[in-house]
Amino acid sequence: MITCPNCKKQLIDGSKFCDNCGAHIIQQQQYQSANFNNYQSNNAQQPYANAQPFTNLKKLVPADVKKVNIHHILLIVLSVFMIITLSFPFISATGYRREMLEEDLTDIVYEEFDMKAEDLKEVSLFEYSRIANTVDDEAGVVYKVLIGALITFMAIAALFAVVKKPIGTIIFNILSTLVFSAHAFIFLASGVVHPDNGWAFGAGLYIYYIVALMTFVCAIALTIRNSKEKKAKKASNANSMNYNYNYNNYNNYNNYNNYQ
């Protein structure tokens, strides 16, 4: 149905003259055409025809974001492995001390926890803290506090990695590395690690720093990836809102014409 622009009487579609007042209905068609042109002009920057449907929103997400988040998985693995490195040899017997220990590998050196000479050839931080506690109570307490702080920082860093919060992992990775380095400094300052004393840093020290560096790099990569995902999600939401806005405007225009 169309409406006579003069007397507002409802007429049959296709009528050229109003059977009530005789007005030319072509004026109504021109009126609607003018309204449509005004609508297109007012919404030129957001035409409904250019809006993307919801089914195509996934195209806005970069291809690398859709893939399995290998950085997240790798960060968890590295964070857990950092804790395991504490059981690796932190100091190793060298020179005369190694020769002395190898003379009788079954000899019990520390009866308190049944440590043999063979076990002293490679000593981890865990084991050394136990040894220090039997020799010097004050030194044992210091080492236990440092070990406790180190494990705590590592565990928190691993937890942040699990929940996909790389910034937290970076912070506590740095803290744990500082505490670990404090252990190394104490060993050097106290003369424990010295050629004349027959001790040198073991493989565990170097493995830890390598893993810590890899964890740091991986956490930065995950931070960048998370930023890209947020931008892609924001772009998808913006396009969705644009689609709804233009679709509703188009429907409103059609409803307006039908009403007229």
Side-chain angles (χ1 to χ4, degrees):
M1 298 292 289
I2 59 175
T3 304
C4 174
N6 185 42
C7 65
K8 307 303 181 182
K9 181 181 179 180
Q10 296 292 324
L11 305 175
I12 300 175
D13 292 339
S15 299
K16 296 183 178 181
F17 297 93
C18 177
D19 56 9
N20 182 47
C21 66
H24 292 281
I25 305 306
I26 189 66
Q27 297 176 5
Q28 169 70 4
Q29 296 173 352
Q30 292 175 349
Y31 175 75
Q32 290 181 345
S33 177
N35 275 313
F36 181 72
N37 292 334
N38 289 335
Y39 170 80
Q40 286 185 319
S41 176
N42 294 333
N43 296 275
Q45 297 180 352
Q46 292 182 319
Y48 78 94
N50 294 331
Q52 307 231 0
F54 292 106
T55 55
N56 293 331
L57 292 181
K58 60 183 180 181
K59 295 181 179 179
L60 295 175
V61 183
D64 57 338
V65 175
K66 299 177 187 177
K67 298 179 181 178
V68 177
N69 198 334
I70 188 65
H71 297 100
H72 184 207
I73 297 174
L74 185 60
L75 184 61
I76 295 175
V77 173
L78 290 172
S79 299
V80 173
F81 189 71
M82 281 183 65
I83 301 176
I84 298 176
T85 58
L86 297 183
S87 62
F88 293 176
F90 187 74
I91 57 174
S92 301
T94 60
Y96 78 91
R97 188 175 294 277
R98 178 171 285 271
E99 295 176 358
M100 181 179 63
L101 293 173
E102 290 178 346
E103 290 179 358
D104 188 0
L105 296 177
T106 60
D107 184 29
I108 302 298
V109 181
Y110 295 102
E111 296 180 356
E112 291 83 351
F113 36 88
D114 195 25
M115 178 172 281
K116 300 178 182 179
E118 183 179 8
D119 300 327
L120 283 177
K121 291 170 62 176
E122 307 286 347
V123 182
S124 67
L125 274 177
F126 288 126
E127 294 170 336
Y128 191 85
S129 64
R130 296 169 64 191
I131 296 173
N133 192 39
T134 60
V135 178
D136 188 344
D137 291 339
E138 293 183 0
V141 171
V142 172
Y143 282 117
K144 285 184 177 180
V145 170
L146 289 177
I147 285 289
L150 183 59
I151 295 175
T152 300
F153 290 152
M154 287 180 169
I156 296 176
L159 180 61
F160 275 115
V162 171
V163 298
K164 206 176 179 181
K165 299 294 183 181
I167 299 299
T169 301
I170 292 174
I171 294 174
F172 283 93
N173 181 35
I174 293 174
L175 291 175
S176 62
T177 301
L178 290 175
V179 176
F180 187 86
S181 300
H183 279 92
F185 176 78
I186 292 174
F187 275 59
L188 287 172
S190 61
V192 174
V193 176
H194 194 277
D196 296 337
N197 199 24
W199 292 103
F201 284 119
L205 177 86
Y206 307 104
I207 293 175
Y208 173 87
Y209 282 121
I210 293 174
V211 176
L213 179 60
M214 293 175 62
T215 304
F216 183 78
V217 173
C218 188
I220 293 178
L222 182 59
T223 302
I224 297 174
R225 186 187 182 95
N226 288 346
S227 177
K228 292 175 64 176
E229 288 180 346
K230 290 180 180 178
K231 289 181 180 179
K233 185 176 180 181
K234 185 177 180 180
S236 297
N237 292 337
N239 187 269
S240 173
M241 293 176 63
N242 178 49
Y243 175 81
N244 285 334
Y245 171 79
N246 289 283
Y247 184 77
N248 291 334
N249 279 348
Y250 179 69
N251 283 339
N252 290 337
Y253 173 75
N254 286 336
N255 293 335
Y256 171 79
N257 283 336
N258 293 333
Y259 175 77
Q260 292 296 327

